Amino acid sequence: MKVPPDDKTTGLPGLRSWGAVYWLVMAVFVAWVVLLTVLTRMYA
Amino acid sequence: MNALDYAILFGSLLAIAAYAVWSTRGRRDFNTYMKGAAETRWLTIGLSVMATQASAITFLSTPGQGYESGLGFVQNYFGAPLALIVVAAVFLPIYRRLKVYTAYEYLGHRFDSKTRLLGACLFLLQRGLGAGITIYAPAIVLSTVMGWRLDTTIVCSGLLVVIYTVLGGCDAVSLTQKYQIGVIFAGMVAAFAVLLAKLPHGLGFTDALSLAGGFHKLEAVDFSTSFDRRYTVWSGLLGGMFLALSYFGTDQSQVQRYLSGASMRESRLGLMFNAVFKIPMQFFILLLGVLIFVFYQFERPPVYFNRTAWETAAAHEAGGRLRALEADFGAAHARERAGLETWLAARRSGDAVAEAAARATVDEAHTQVEAAREATKSDLRAAKPGAAANDSDYVFITFILDHLPHGLIGLLVTAFFAAALSSKAGELNALGSTTTVDVYRHLVRRDATDAHYVVASKCFTAFWGLVAIGFALFANLAENLIQAVNILGSIFYGVVLGLFLVAFFLRRVGGTAVFWAALGAQALVFALYSTLSISYLWYNVIGCAACMALSLVLQALIGSPRGGAARPAAA
C-alpha cells in the first residue's frame, strides 16, 4: 500500500527524516540522564 | 473545602464532560466511534497518551514516593523514550497499514484466531483489574481526608466517566483528556509555586536541595547491579523499556489513542511528545514530593499522614501508646528543626565546625523522628491486622488541605479527579472496543450493521465501567498505589509483548507454538512472582523472553507452521 505523502515528512524545521527526530529524542533522553547523574553526585 | 472549592470541582468536571458529549453528538458510524473522526492532531494525541497513562494515582501517590524515598522512582521511566521510538517506528506503521481497530486484530492477521483471543483476554483481564484500581485509588485517599463516603465517591466519579465515554466514544475521550490534563498541569504548577513561597524565610531553592540531599532524597540515579533494588538505572532501562514497550505498543488503551491520529505523522509526533516530556514530568512530580519533605522539616507534620486511620486507632485501646509516640515524634521534630536552623546559619557563615556539629544533631533527631513514625505504623498494623500501614499516598493531599488557600484546594482536588477520569475513560474505551471487535464481532456476530456494533460497543463500555466500579467498591490495597498498578501490569505485560515481538521478528513461528508458549510463559511469571523477591520490572523482561524462547523451542518441536512458513509480519 502506498504511504500517504504527509507521513514521509516530519513537518519539523531542521528535521527532515524520522530518523533525525528519533536521534533528537534519544539525545534529549541522554541529556536528562546526565543531568540527573550530576544532581545525584552534587547533592550526595 | 469550602463553597468556592466545590464550585471549581463540580463546575470544571461537569463542563468538560458536557462539552465533550456535545462536541461528539450524532456520531453513529462505527469507525468514527472507535477511532475518532481522523482529525486528531499531534498535540491532542500526545496529551491524550499522557493523560491515559498518568492517572490520579500518579499525581496523588508520586509526591508521596518523593517524600519517602526521594527521586529514585524516576528511573522507572528511563525505558520509555526508547520504547516510544520503537512503537513509532515499528508498531504504528503496521497497525495503520492493516487499518486495525485493536492491537489484537493484528495477532489474528499474523497468527490465528486463538492467539488473537489470548492477547485480547490477557488485556481484558489485566486492564479490567487495573481499571478497578484507577477508580479506587483516588477515591480511598480523597474520601478519607475529605470525610466523604467512599462508596459514594467511587460511584459518582465512576458513573460520570462511564456516561461521557459511552455517549461520545473515542473522540470524547481524547477531547476530555486534553482539557483535563490542562487542569492537572495548572494545579501541579500552582502547588509547586505555593510550596516554594512557603519555604522558610532565607531558605532558597538551592539550600532546599542541599538539605534534601543531606537526607538522601536527591539520589535520582543508582548504577548498582543488584537485582534486589527496586529502582536502578538498569532495571529502569531494561525492565522499564519492556514495560513501556508493552504498554504503549500493545495495550489497547494506548493504541486506540494514537490510532485516532489524522495521519501517521500526527500519531508519531504525539508519541515523540511523550518520549521527550515523560521523564521531566515524573521528575517534576517527585521533586514536588522532595520539597514537601523539606517544608515539613520546618513545619511539624502529623506523625502519620492518614489522620483518619490514626484517630480511629487512637480512640481505642492503642490510644495511649499512639499519643505517647506522637509526643516523642513532636519533641524529636522540634530538635531536628532547631538543628537545621543552626546548620543553615553555619552554612551561610562558612563555619564548617558548627555546620558538622549541627548536622550530627539533625541526623540524631531525624533518626528519632523516623523511629517514632515506624513505631506508629507498627502499632497501627497491630491494632488493625491486614490494614494498609503506608501513609505516603496521603502526604500530598495533607499538604494541600493544610497549607494551600481555598480556590487552589479546589483546583488540586479537581486535578486529581480529572486525572482519574481521563485514565479511566481511556481504559473503558479500550475495554469496550476490544470486547466488541475481538470477542463479540469475531466470535458472536460477524455480519451485523455498523449501528449494531456501535450499540454493542456502548453496552460493553458500560459493562466494564460497572465492573470497575464494583471492583473498586470491594478493593483493599496494601501496596503504595502507584506501585500496585505497575506490579499488576508487569505480571502480564511481558508475555503480551512477547506475543507481539514473536509476530514482528520471528517469522518462522506460527500460531500454535506462540499460543502455548505464551501460556507457559505466563505460568512461569506467576510462579516466579510468588517465590522470588526481585524488582517487579524484571518480570516484563522474563515474561517476554520466556514467551519468545518457548515459541522457538515449540516451533522446532512441532515443525513448520501449517502451509509452510508463517504469514509475514505485516501481512
Side-chain angles (χ1 to χ4, degrees):
Chain A
M1 185 183 287
K2 194 179 173 191
V3 181
D6 71 328
D7 290 341
K8 285 182 181 169
T9 56
T10 66
L12 300 174
L15 297 166
R16 291 185 181 178
S17 69
W18 286 107
V21 175
Y22 299 148
W23 278 114
L24 178 71
V25 171
M26 281 306 296
V28 172
F29 165 63
V30 171
W32 264 105
V33 175
V34 170
L35 280 173
L36 290 172
T37 307
V38 169
L39 181 78
T40 303
R41 298 276 152 83
M42 193 184 285
Y43 292 102
Chain B
M1 287 202 15
N2 67 8
L4 173 66
D5 298 318
Y6 279 109
I8 291 171
L9 173 64
F10 291 116
S12 309
L13 294 181
L14 292 175
I16 292 172
Y19 175 67
V21 172
W22 180 78
S23 300
T24 55
R25 69 196 182 284
R27 293 188 183 176
R28 295 189 179 85
D29 166 55
F30 184 58
N31 194 58
T32 311
Y33 186 79
M34 298 289 281
K35 288 187 184 174
E39 296 164 348
T40 315
R41 307 304 298 257
W42 66 269
L43 185 60
T44 304
I45 295 170
L47 292 174
S48 184
V49 166
M50 190 174 268
T52 299
Q53 187 187 24
S55 66
I57 302 165
T58 307
F59 299 101
L60 264 174
S61 178
T62 308
Q65 276 264 328
Y67 181 97
E68 284 284 340
S69 315
L71 299 177
F73 185 62
V74 75
Q75 297 168 108
N76 207 26
Y77 299 91
F78 278 6
L82 244 169
L84 283 160
I85 289 172
V86 175
V87 172
V90 179
F91 288 59
L92 175 64
I94 293 174
Y95 293 153
R96 284 193 74 96
R97 202 176 303 141
L98 291 173
K99 294 185 168 34
V100 292
Y101 290 112
T102 73
Y104 319 106
E105 266 187 286
Y106 165 68
L107 294 177
H109 280 270
R110 167 65 176 84
F111 296 119
D112 51 28
S113 178
K114 65 177 181 301
T115 311
R116 172 184 178 176
L117 266 177
L118 177 64
C121 288
L122 284 175
F123 167 73
L124 292 174
L125 180 65
Q126 186 266 122
R127 187 50 62 188
L129 290 174
I133 296 177
T134 52
I135 208 165
Y136 166 81
I140 179 73
V141 177
L142 293 170
S143 64
T144 302
V145 293
M146 304 289 189
W148 301 337
R149 282 179 61 99
L150 176 62
D151 49 4
T152 310
T153 311
I154 288 171
V155 170
C156 289
S157 57
L159 285 182
L160 177 63
V161 69
V162 168
I163 289 168
Y164 74 73
T165 307
V166 166
L167 290 178
C170 184
D171 267 349
V173 173
S174 298
L175 202 58
T176 46
Q177 285 176 328
K178 187 164 84 170
Y179 294 108
Q180 284 162 341
I181 201 110
V183 172
I184 294 164
F185 285 159
M188 298 305 277
V189 169
F192 198 87
V194 171
L195 180 55
L196 285 180
K198 278 187 171 280
L199 287 176
H201 182 68
L203 184 77
F205 183 65
T206 50
D207 287 333
L209 290 184
S210 295
L211 198 153
F215 289 103
H216 308 287
K217 301 291 182 188
L218 296 182
E219 292 172 357
V221 289
D222 178 355
F223 286 92
S224 78
T225 51
S226 168
F227 279 88
D228 295 337
R229 301 195 123 160
R230 214 165 223 192
Y231 305 115
T232 67
V233 168
W234 314 117
S235 73
L237 268 176
L238 199 59
M241 191 186 85
F242 276 74
L243 176 63
L245 196 56
S246 188
Y247 177 61
F248 290 109
T250 73
D251 189 307
Q252 180 61 17
S253 64
Q254 285 294 359
V255 174
Q256 196 158 8
R257 304 277 70 75
Y258 56 77
L259 283 186
S260 68
S263 66
M264 188 141 77
R265 173 184 174 276
E266 304 297 335
S267 300
R268 272 188 171 146
L269 288 178
L271 289 169
M272 290 306 97
F273 173 84
N274 279 270
V276 169
F277 289 106
K278 186 67 197 165
I279 292 175
M281 187 184 90
Q282 292 299 141
F283 170 76
F284 169 77
I285 300 171
L286 284 165
L287 185 63
L288 189 65
V290 170
L291 289 177
I292 291 173
F293 173 83
V294 172
F295 171 80
Y296 275 128
Q297 300 313 299
F298 297 92
E299 187 80 28
R300 184 178 156 176
V303 62
Y304 189 70
F305 279 95
N306 184 349
R307 293 296 298 173
T308 308
W310 188 90
E311 279 160 11
T312 305
H316 293 91
E317 57 270 23
R321 184 166 152 75
L322 283 173
R323 286 198 185 83
L325 283 170
E326 189 184 35
D328 291 347
F329 173 82
H333 186 272
R335 281 198 300 280
E336 186 182 1
R337 177 184 172 154
L340 281 171
E341 282 164 354
T342 311
W343 176 68
L344 280 172
R347 262 189 67 141
R348 283 195 203 101
S349 64
D351 185 345
V353 177
E355 191 181 336
R359 186 71 233 181
T361 308
V362 168
D363 286 345
E364 188 195 343
H366 187 70
T367 306
Q368 289 165 356
V369 163
E370 286 303 308
R373 257 175 70 73
E374 286 307 315
T376 301
K377 287 181 187 179
S378 171
D379 278 14
L380 287 172
R381 219 176 282 127
K384 196 178 177 190
N390 188 344
D391 65 340
S392 62
D393 296 321
Y394 294 82
V395 170
F396 190 33
I397 189 70
T398 301
F399 169 77
I400 289 167
L401 293 176
D402 289 350
H403 299 287
L404 258 55
H406 285 293
L408 271 186
I409 292 177
L411 179 65
L412 263 298
V413 175
T414 306
F416 295 141
F417 274 103
L421 299 186
S422 63
S423 55
K424 182 95 219 117
E427 288 169 349
L428 289 183
N429 195 212
L431 287 164
S433 307
T434 304
T435 313
T436 306
V437 173
D438 294 301
V439 181
Y440 183 71
R441 195 173 75 162
H442 183 55
L443 294 179
V444 184
R445 284 287 299 270
R446 283 178 179 266
D447 52 359
T449 60
D450 262 18
H452 177 86
Y453 289 128
V454 170
V455 172
S457 188
K458 288 183 176 184
C459 290
F460 287 128
T461 304
F463 164 77
W464 282 110
L466 297 178
V467 167
I469 292 170
F471 180 84
L473 287 172
F474 297 101
N476 184 18
L477 297 173
E479 276 278 357
N480 172 282
L481 296 172
I482 195 159
Q483 288 186 14
V485 171
N486 281 332
I487 290 169
L488 182 66
S490 295
I491 289 172
F492 291 98
Y493 273 147
V495 175
V496 178
L497 179 62
L499 280 173
F500 279 82
L501 293 188
V502 169
F504 292 143
F505 301 115
L506 303 179
R507 298 188 173 197
R508 302 293 302 175
V509 176
T512 302
V514 78
F515 176 82
W516 291 108
L519 288 180
Q522 192 60 67
L524 177 71
V525 170
F526 282 138
L528 291 177
Y529 180 71
S530 58
T531 52
L532 298 182
S533 63
I534 58 173
S535 167
Y536 61 80
L537 285 174
W538 291 113
Y539 292 113
N540 294 286
V541 185
I542 292 168
C544 181
C547 182
M548 294 180 80
L550 278 173
S551 296
L552 286 170
V553 171
L554 287 176
Q555 192 59 62
L557 288 174
I558 62 180
S560 291
R562 197 167 42 175
R567 278 171 279 182

